[in-house]
Amino acid sequence: MLPLLKFASDKKEHSLREAVDQLASKFELTEEDMKEMLPSGQQAVFVNRMGWARTYLKQACLIEPTRRGYFRITERGLDVLSKNPDKINVKFLDQFEEFREFRKRRKKDTGKDDDND
């Protein structure tokens, strides 16, 4: 999640597609890497992970939606980056009440916990 938040640190509005393209390039992912699919075969793994990263960052109020499919970093997101965290994972995001509430709702709706890093 940290690379996505850093990507948004320019304070500009970005689309998820733009973030996927830029971060795939940054991580030097190959075409084969980008085509790796989830077991369901419905979506590429990297795109899926980026989507979840965006959702989690949004639920922690580190980014905000600006319009459909677009987002921008928030002041809270900039504050988090100013502290230079090593990583951002579920455990890190649990410091934010909004994220904890999201997890409670998700756990209630799905019966699953999402403690994976």
Side-chain angles (χ1 to χ4, degrees):
M1 289 180 257
L2 182 58
L4 180 58
L5 192 62
K6 285 182 177 180
F7 169 75
S9 67
D10 63 3
K11 303 180 187 178
K12 295 179 182 176
E13 178 184 70
H14 295 283
S15 69
L16 183 60
R17 181 78 253 164
E18 177 187 2
V20 165
D21 292 345
Q22 291 292 317
L23 291 176
S25 178
K26 176 183 172 154
F27 293 125
E28 299 179 353
L29 299 181
T30 65
E31 191 173 320
E32 185 176 301
D33 294 330
M34 294 300 294
K35 288 182 178 179
E36 182 183 345
M37 300 298 278
L38 294 170
S40 68
Q42 298 298 308
Q43 188 178 35
V45 171
F46 187 70
V47 173
N48 177 271
R49 299 302 184 262
M50 290 286 292
W52 277 110
R54 178 188 60 178
T55 296
Y56 281 22
L57 293 174
K58 180 178 78 168
Q59 294 300 326
C61 300
L62 302 183
I63 61 173
E64 62 187 355
T66 53
R67 57 189 165 123
R68 184 181 174 108
Y70 288 79
F71 62 92
R72 177 181 305 127
I73 197 167
T74 63
E75 286 302 316
R76 180 186 281 180
L78 290 168
D79 183 56
V80 163
L81 287 178
S82 75
K83 294 173 181 159
N84 202 25
D86 291 333
K87 63 181 176 179
I88 296 177
N89 56 19
V90 170
K91 189 174 185 178
F92 180 92
L93 296 177
D94 267 341
Q95 70 184 288
F96 303 110
E97 177 64 27
E98 299 90 343
F99 186 74
R100 289 192 307 270
E101 289 299 318
F102 161 72
R103 289 188 66 210
K104 283 181 195 174
R105 288 190 313 271
R106 187 167 186 269
K107 189 173 183 180
K108 182 180 172 188
D109 291 346
T110 64
K112 294 180 182 177
D113 198 1
D114 53 86
D115 266 338
N116 51 353
D117 287 333

